[in-house]
Amino acid sequence: MRNVITYDGVDFAYHKDEYVLKKVAFSVEQGEKLAIMGPNGAGKTTLFKLAVGLIKPLSGKVSVLGIDVTKKENLKKIRQKVGYLFQNPDDQIFATTVWEDVAFGPRNLGLNEEEVREAVEAALKEVLMENYGKNSPFHLSEGQKKRVAIAGLLAMEPEILLLDEPTSDLDIPTAKTFLEKISELNRKGVTVLMATHHIFFAKKWAQECIVLNNGSIIYQGDSKEAFKKEEVVKVIGDPDYFL
Ligand SMILES: Nc1ncnc2c1ncn2[C@@H]1O[C@H](COP(=O)(O)OP(=O)(O)OP(=O)(O)O)[C@@H](O)[C@H]1O
Ligand SMILES: [Mg+2]
């Protein structure tokens, strides 16, 4: 299997000398289903922002699909192949109607209007938002906004999905349906990275996981084995506690 994402000795700081990622190194193979966990402020969102070139590493390298993301000329190509779900849907949605918002991705890929219509309708159906096409995306509930942001990604058919807290604000049946959909895409070869605090979903859903704490990887490996480690449970909790 080929590596589709590689972080190679990555350091990052938003403010001088305040490192939020320290010597982070890992790679993700095509077709992997990877959960990224860690407490608030651990650096999960920062990792994703690096992968789509929103920020650049201070040192080290990040490459996606073999392409160096620190080079500005490569960003368009990467963003066509990588679907990035922002943690906060308000950072993602922008159009005046739900329909137009979801249509942005497929239009950007150069699909014709008939193909765009098909992609948008199918994606809105997947997230049970087919009756909201004409609504303003800003006048929705938080979970509905998240559903629209997810539909935007599904309409693009990306090769890689970077999902930042995709299940937060979703009702549990919708979260379940969404994770099943993502698994179906994964079976077709889509690589999926999911940053999440929903450790019960992560344990069941992901094969592999990475646990970050204070900008460093403290565990990498099988996601069920992770919760047998005291140092992991101490920082991200025990998914069985509420059962
Ligand atoms: N735009 C920013 N400017 C300055 N510092 C930031 C910025 N964004 C994040 N940080 C800091 O970087 C660190 C890592 O933040 P990040 O958002 O990557 O954490 P996270 O693991 O995604 O947390 P959460 O679980 O709360 O989403 C935190 O200490 C945070 O305060
Ligand atoms: Mg975050």
Side-chain angles (χ1 to χ4, degrees):
M1 276 291 184
R2 67 182 176 129
N3 282 343
V4 289
I5 302 182
T6 306
Y7 292 84
D8 186 4
V10 171
D11 290 322
F12 182 78
Y14 289 98
H15 301 294
K16 198 172 178 317
D17 296 333
E18 288 177 24
Y19 283 84
V20 299
L21 292 178
K22 297 160 211 153
K23 299 270 167 284
V24 169
F26 68 96
S27 50
V28 185
E29 289 183 353
Q30 197 213 335
E32 245 188 84
K33 237 163 128 176
L34 179 77
I36 299 178
M37 296 177 281
N40 293 135
K44 305 177 298 295
T45 296
T46 304
L47 267 187
F48 283 174
K49 285 187 194 163
L50 284 162
V52 290
L54 288 174
I55 51 179
K56 286 185 200 307
L58 282 185
S59 50
K61 253 184 147 178
V62 184
S63 68
V64 175
L65 295 164
I67 303 165
D68 181 352
V69 296
T70 56
K71 298 213 166 74
K72 210 172 165 192
E73 63 271 24
N74 293 337
L75 291 184
K76 191 168 179 232
K77 207 159 147 196
I78 284 162
R79 288 177 190 166
Q80 284 182 340
K81 292 171 188 277
V82 177
Y84 175 35
L85 184 76
F86 286 67
Q87 183 164 4
N88 180 353
D90 287 327
D91 293 336
Q92 186 133 26
I93 53 185
F94 66 97
T96 49
T97 67
V98 164
W99 205 96
E100 286 298 320
D101 206 86
V102 179
F104 177 79
R107 279 201 185 118
N108 229 7
L109 292 175
L111 301 190
N112 67 40
E113 275 308 296
E114 178 59 22
E115 290 166 329
V116 170
R117 194 177 57 76
E118 277 175 24
V120 174
E121 281 175 8
L124 285 176
K125 235 182 181 156
E126 289 279 1
V127 298
L128 303 178
M129 289 295 282
E130 64 270 40
N131 296 327
Y132 288 82
K134 294 196 173 95
N135 290 48
S136 160
F138 299 103
H139 298 162
L140 297 172
S141 76
E142 290 309 305
Q144 287 171 333
K145 283 183 199 169
K146 188 139 268 183
R147 290 183 185 195
V148 170
I150 288 170
L153 296 193
L154 297 178
M156 277 180 61
E157 299 186 1
E159 286 179 38
I160 297 174
L161 283 168
L162 303 178
L163 307 169
D164 201 349
E165 302 293 342
T167 53
S168 68
D169 285 320
L170 293 183
D171 60 71
I172 298 297
T174 302
K176 177 174 171 278
T177 308
F178 167 70
L179 290 174
E180 284 167 0
K181 174 72 192 171
I182 295 303
S183 292
E184 185 190 316
L185 293 175
N186 176 257
R187 284 192 291 276
K188 291 180 185 158
V190 177
T191 308
V192 189
L193 278 66
M194 170 166 81
T196 187
H197 294 296
H198 289 170
I199 51 180
F200 34 90
F201 287 140
K203 184 181 176 188
K204 191 168 169 70
W205 177 86
Q207 295 142 352
E208 300 283 318
C209 75
I210 278 177
V211 181
L212 274 179
N213 194 23
N214 287 326
S216 299
I217 295 177
I218 62 160
Y219 177 87
Q220 178 171 13
D222 182 90
S223 62
K224 289 175 186 62
E225 291 298 315
F227 295 101
K228 294 179 184 162
K229 307 263 176 212
E230 202 180 320
E231 64 275 21
V232 167
V233 170
K234 201 167 140 199
V235 292
I236 61 170
D238 175 3
D240 298 329
Y241 176 79
F242 296 101
L243 294 179

